[in-house]
């Protein structure tokens, strides 16, 4: 049993990682965790680690027998304070920042012991993500999570500075509120005082920020948590953070300029240079050229509509409905039969009817579709995609045609991303921002078999399309826009509906009865009647920005305490059951499954 020391009045003089050759000769006090221990008999080495890095400490049995004896007791992750003198190392270690020096310990204070951690605290670890999340406090001791959280802090700080300098006021909006229609399920909080009634955690501050404009705030922003109960992926969490903003009397360009300014500054914080203004693309062009509403412009492989190359008879045989889209994948001609089958499966899982291939090889052009469409059309197909020797042309057809939707292009877009990655044609050093505009106001929901808002129901409607709201909803364009970076949607926003009559018409077009819309949005419709200025805004995903700028692939890496894809916090073990008493007070009974 070792006796632990008290910190008492001992004061740290330096962080471990900051000591350099210029400090040689100094008496210092460092504090931190034992990273590694090497016992060479008369000499015992401890690497001591804190947030800033690692310093090597040497305990000499002859010169400081007491400290040396004590050091024999410490193990990995013990918390220690070391008093010592900085000396030049005989053999410098160029691997670490403090590698030119070491600390000759005169005194060791053991401040706490530690169980053996379930994984070593190293830069690179191969522990399962579940283990890392369960022991997140240990995972957080590694340099990369530190760097990620520090970068995130700098990003958020820069956002606040930029917004402040542009005249925006940060206003907090309620967390205990009512449902906001962002298209996901709500997280509900039962009311103790009003049995049977619930608050909803905000899916976004959307309604409140619009009401702030009605309240004359003119320029609002907030770095805010939002909550959405939806199926999770690597770039989604049940709670996430947005840079949310709204401004009065804006033109679309005004909002774009604000965001471009913020993004340039935020990128600079991460050492990335960006040029503004960001390019624009129409939604329909993005779909037809890239098969995506968040096109990754770091590589080409654009889609081409090749419906013409599939004559009526072939279309019938292949049960093709709607347009056919194709692309040339550089170097893909070497793909095996098996790889092509996998591509077909992939396309089908994305809703395609089928995928057809043309290999443009030095020995000649071959195609899986030649029998059906004939050699002339095979040639046309390859030419339409600008295919070169060595390329694989991939054509994708759709199984059903939905008005206003290019199903084949969407499936082809997924193959484009897959092939781009597999063939290594994506230039990972690029930062390709893009504004996407000209969105349809509605999209078809296969689940509900009805038109639903493509964004949220407060999105403005292009003035001249207003008359088609009821008669041809699929043709109505919205005043919405998205910001895209390297194939990720960073955020979306719109110029809003600011007239009460239009807002009410839209709710009705979405199938809400007078009673439903009064019940859900009555307060907002009322507010709109008291002199609402034209207004618009946007919200950017802070976690995603931090993820991309820190080079991570999952937003969990830039969130201190993330949840699994099953929406669980493995460390705090939430969600969890609650006491019967608590349920009683809330008037809630749990149904057994
Ligand atoms: N509330 C929207 C969202 O969370 C953003 C906006 O329209 O400003 O996506």
């Amino acid at each position: 049993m070792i006796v632990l020391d008290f910190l008492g009045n001992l004061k740290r003089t330096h962080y471990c990682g900051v000591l350099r050759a210029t400090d040689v000769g100094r008496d210092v006090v460092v504090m931190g965790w034992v990273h590694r221990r090497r016992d060479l008999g008369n000499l015992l080495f401890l690497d001591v680690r804190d947030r800033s890095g690692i310093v090597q400490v040497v305990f000499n049995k002859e010169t400081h027998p007491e400290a040396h004896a004590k050091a024999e007791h410490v193990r990995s992750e013990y918390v220690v304070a070391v008093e010592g003198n900085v000396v030049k190392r005989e053999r410098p270690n160029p691997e670490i920042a403090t590698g030119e020096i070491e600390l000759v310990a005169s005194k060791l204070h053991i401040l706490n012991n530690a169980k053996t951690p379930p994984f070593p605290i190293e830069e690179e670890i191969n522990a399962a993500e579940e283990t890392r999340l369960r022991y997140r406090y240990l995972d957080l001791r590694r340099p990369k999570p530190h760097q990620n959280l520090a970068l995130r802090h700098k990003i958020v700080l820069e956002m606040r500075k930029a917004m402040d300098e542009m005249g925006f006021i940060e206003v907090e909006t309620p967390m205990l509120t009512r449902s906001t229609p962002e298209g996901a399920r709500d997280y509900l909080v039962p009311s103790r005082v009003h049995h049977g009634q619930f608050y909803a955690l905000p899916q976004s501050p959307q309604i409140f920020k619009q009401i702030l404009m009605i309240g004359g705030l003119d320029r609002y922003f907030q770095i805010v948590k939002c909550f959405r109960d939806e199926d999770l992926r690597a770039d989604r969490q049940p709670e996430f953070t947005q840079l949310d903003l709204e401004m009065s009397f804006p033109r679309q360009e005004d909002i774009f300029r604000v965001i471009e300014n913020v993004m340039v500054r935020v990128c600079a914080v991460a050492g990335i240079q960006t040029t503004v203004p960001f390019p624009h693309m129409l939604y329909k062009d993005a779909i037809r050229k890239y098969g995506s509403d968040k096109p990754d412009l770091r590589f080409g492989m654009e889609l081409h509509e090749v419906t013409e190359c599939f004559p009526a008879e072939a279309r019938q045989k292949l049960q093709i409905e709607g347009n056919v889209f194709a692309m040339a994948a550089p170097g893909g001609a070497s793909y095996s039969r098996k790889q092509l089958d996998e591509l077909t499966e992939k396309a089908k899982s994305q809703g395609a009817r089928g995928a057809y291939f043309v290999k443009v090889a030095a020995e000649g052009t071959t195609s899986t579709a030649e029998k059906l469409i004939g050699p002339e059309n095979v040639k046309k197909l390859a030419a339409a995609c600008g295919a070169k020797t060595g390329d694989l042309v991939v054509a994708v057809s759709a199984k059903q045609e939905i008005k206003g939707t290019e199903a084949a292009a969407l499936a082809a877009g997924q193959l484009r991303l897959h092939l781009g990655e597999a063939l290594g044609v994506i230039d990972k050093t690029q930062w390709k921002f893009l504004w996407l505009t000209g969105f349809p106001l509605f999209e078809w929901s296969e689940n509900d078999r009805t038109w639903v808002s493509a964004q949220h129901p407060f999105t403005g409607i292009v003035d001249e399309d207003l008359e088609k709201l009821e008669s041809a909803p699929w043709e109505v364009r919205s005043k919405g826009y998205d910001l895209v970076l390297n194939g990720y949607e960073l955020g979306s926003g719109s110029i809003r509906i600011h007239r009460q009559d239009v807002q009410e018409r839209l709710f009705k077009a979405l199938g809400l009865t007078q009673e439903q819309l009064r019940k859900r949005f009555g307060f907002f419709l009322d507010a709109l009647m008291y002199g609402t200025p034209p207004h618009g805004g946007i919200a950017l995903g802070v976690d995603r920005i931090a993820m991309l700028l820190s080079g991570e692939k999952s937003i969990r890496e830039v969130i201190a305490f993330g949840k699994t894809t099953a929406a669980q916090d493995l460390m705090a073990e939430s969600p969890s059951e609650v006491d019967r008493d608590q349920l009683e007070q809330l008037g809630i009974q749990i149904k057994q499954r």
Side-chain angles (χ1 to χ4, degrees):
M1 265 290 282
I2 51 159
V3 181
L4 296 179
D5 298 307
F6 294 106
L7 179 61
N9 210 19
L10 191 65
K11 188 172 157 43
R12 166 165 64 186
T13 62
H14 290 80
Y15 278 106
C16 300
V18 303
L19 294 168
R20 295 288 180 273
T22 46
D23 295 307
V24 166
R26 270 207 183 132
D27 287 325
V28 300
V29 180
V30 298
M31 300 183 183
W33 287 262
V34 174
H35 186 65
R36 209 171 280 132
R37 168 177 175 276
R38 287 182 305 283
D39 194 346
L40 306 184
N42 277 350
L43 292 180
L44 192 152
F45 293 91
L46 295 185
D47 285 347
V48 180
R49 182 192 68 233
D50 63 17
R51 192 179 89 176
S52 66
I54 288 176
V55 67
Q56 173 167 298
V57 184
V58 47
F59 293 83
N60 188 321
K61 196 170 186 169
E62 275 160 28
T63 58
H64 299 93
E66 212 177 304
H68 180 276
K70 221 166 166 184
E72 288 187 323
H73 293 291
V74 305
R75 298 286 176 269
S76 281
E77 300 313 309
Y78 275 33
V79 184
V80 296
V82 179
E83 296 179 50
N85 187 260
V86 182
V87 301
K88 215 169 164 66
R89 277 206 217 183
E90 269 172 36
R91 269 181 292 131
N93 175 1
E95 302 280 309
I96 57 172
T98 58
E100 282 189 75
I101 57 101
E102 63 188 0
L103 216 60
V104 175
S106 50
K107 212 162 176 195
L108 175 69
H109 308 259
I110 303 178
L111 301 176
N112 216 339
N113 52 18
K115 283 173 71 172
T116 305
F119 50 81
I121 314 298
E122 299 287 357
E123 172 92 53
E124 297 296 335
I125 58 167
N126 49 20
E129 198 184 11
E130 283 81 54
T131 316
R132 290 178 48 210
L133 287 172
R134 192 174 299 278
Y135 297 95
R136 182 64 165 153
Y137 40 87
L138 296 178
D139 191 37
L140 284 173
R141 286 185 194 164
R142 299 188 305 118
K144 188 65 180 154
H146 280 175
Q147 287 157 14
N148 289 350
L149 291 181
L151 179 65
R152 183 185 172 121
H153 157 73
K154 292 274 182 224
I155 289 171
V156 169
L157 186 65
E158 197 61 27
M159 284 176 171
R160 282 211 162 88
K161 281 200 240 165
M163 296 308 289
D164 175 59
E165 282 166 28
M166 289 185 283
F168 287 80
I169 299 174
E170 183 158 16
V171 181
E172 290 175 77
T173 52
M175 290 288 119
L176 295 177
T177 177
R178 59 184 301 144
S179 189
T180 27
E182 295 281 3
R185 264 174 246 110
D186 288 319
Y187 279 100
L188 297 176
V189 180
S191 161
R192 178 182 57 80
V193 185
H194 305 280
H195 275 193
Q197 295 189 12
F198 294 81
Y199 302 98
L201 299 179
Q203 290 186 35
S204 83
Q206 187 62 36
I207 296 181
F208 287 105
K209 67 172 171 173
Q210 291 193 239
I211 291 180
L212 287 173
M213 295 303 103
I214 303 176
L217 262 287
D218 195 75
R219 288 186 163 207
Y220 140 94
F221 88 100
Q222 188 179 188
I223 310 255
V224 64
K225 273 283 179 81
C226 301
F227 305 85
R228 296 183 194 175
D229 186 359
E230 55 192 344
D231 296 333
L232 305 179
R233 300 189 219 121
D235 62 350
R236 275 199 193 154
Q237 283 272 298
E239 51 180 304
F240 58 94
T241 308
Q242 287 188 339
L243 165 61
D244 190 46
L245 67 92
E246 196 75 8
M247 46 204 287
S248 291
F249 310 106
R251 299 166 309 162
Q252 178 181 280
E253 303 87 89
D254 299 325
I255 295 168
F256 286 8
R257 290 303 89 79
V258 166
I259 291 298
E260 285 165 358
N261 182 15
V262 171
M263 285 316 300
V264 165
R265 291 179 61 162
V266 159
C267 285
V269 159
I272 295 158
Q273 269 211 339
T274 35
T275 41
V276 288
F278 301 151
H280 292 199
M281 192 183 288
L282 288 174
Y283 168 80
K284 69 173 191 317
D285 293 339
I287 298 292
R288 291 178 67 86
K289 263 186 163 167
Y290 299 97
S292 170
D293 59 1
K294 38 182 190 296
D296 188 342
L297 300 185
R298 291 174 300 170
F299 68 114
M301 279 178 63
E302 290 175 10
L303 308 185
H304 303 270
E305 200 219 295
V306 293
T307 319
E308 258 189 24
C309 304
F310 288 74
E313 206 181 315
R315 290 175 63 84
Q316 213 175 15
K317 263 212 182 119
L318 298 170
Q319 295 173 292
I320 296 176
E321 300 168 37
N323 291 328
V324 182
F325 286 84
M327 74 202 106
S334 60
Y335 264 38
S336 67
R337 178 84 233 180
K338 188 165 158 255
Q339 283 172 304
L340 297 187
D341 288 345
E342 279 166 12
L343 285 180
T344 307
E345 278 319 302
K346 214 170 177 57
K348 286 187 176 165
S349 72
Q350 300 295 334
R353 168 65 72 197
Y356 321 99
F357 305 99
V358 181
K359 281 183 178 178
V360 186
E363 316 78 75
T365 299
T366 53
S367 172
T368 56
E370 184 155 342
K371 275 210 190 99
L372 284 153
I373 63 173
E376 272 314 300
N377 278 319
V378 168
K379 257 197 225 138
K380 245 168 75 184
L381 185 57
C385 298
K388 296 193 214 42
T389 308
D391 288 1
L392 174 72
V393 175
V394 183
V396 178
S397 67
K399 58 182 166 206
Q400 69 196 102
E401 193 171 19
I402 298 166
K403 278 201 177 70
T405 308
E406 291 287 12
L410 293 177
Q414 291 298 322
L415 286 194
R416 171 181 176 268
L417 290 178
H418 170 79
L419 285 164
E421 195 68 56
L423 296 166
V425 295
I426 305 177
D427 180 353
K428 301 275 166 85
T429 63
Q430 299 227 27
W431 297 87
K432 291 285 192 185
F433 282 97
L434 176 72
W435 285 112
L436 222 57
T437 59
F439 284 97
L441 187 68
F442 299 105
E443 66 188 17
W444 181 253
S445 160
E446 206 38 53
N447 270 349
D448 307 331
R449 313 247 0 118
T450 172
W451 293 99
V452 296
S453 289
Q455 258 171 317
H456 53 59
F458 312 108
T459 307
I461 302 166
V462 167
D463 302 344
E464 56 272 27
D465 290 355
L466 197 53
E467 61 196 40
K468 293 188 249 176
L469 193 56
E470 291 83 12
S471 55
W474 58 90
E475 280 179 22
V476 179
R477 288 162 300 164
S478 83
K479 288 185 182 169
Y481 33 78
D482 274 4
L483 179 65
V484 175
L485 169 60
N486 292 353
Y488 283 88
E489 183 199 311
L490 285 194
S492 66
S494 56
I495 300 292
R496 322 296 182 188
I497 297 171
H498 70 280
R499 272 172 39 190
Q500 198 268 354
D501 58 328
V502 178
Q503 186 67 71
E504 199 166 319
R505 246 178 90 188
L506 177 80
F507 281 140
K508 287 191 178 143
L510 287 170
L512 290 186
T513 63
Q514 186 68 23
E515 200 193 335
Q516 284 169 326
L517 72 87
R518 275 308 318 165
K519 205 169 141 200
R520 289 176 57 189
F521 302 112
F523 73 104
F524 182 61
L525 289 169
D526 288 346
L528 283 178
M529 285 193 282
Y530 288 90
T532 302
H535 59 286
I538 189 168
L540 301 187
V542 172
D543 312 277
R544 267 186 211 173
I545 292 173
M547 171 185 87
L548 292 171
L549 296 188
S550 54
E552 295 287 0
K553 292 203 165 54
S554 160
I555 59 170
R556 285 191 290 274
E557 300 294 345
V558 294
I559 294 175
F561 303 104
K563 294 191 174 58
T564 64
T565 43
Q568 283 170 311
D569 177 339
L570 296 177
M571 185 190 73
E573 299 184 329
S574 70
S576 61
E577 286 171 6
V578 296
D579 292 342
R580 195 182 286 259
D581 274 4
Q582 269 178 305
L583 288 176
E584 196 88 345
Q585 285 182 22
L586 296 167
I588 287 181
Q589 225 177 10
I590 304 294
K591 233 168 110 178
Q592 295 308 323
R593 283 205 193 219

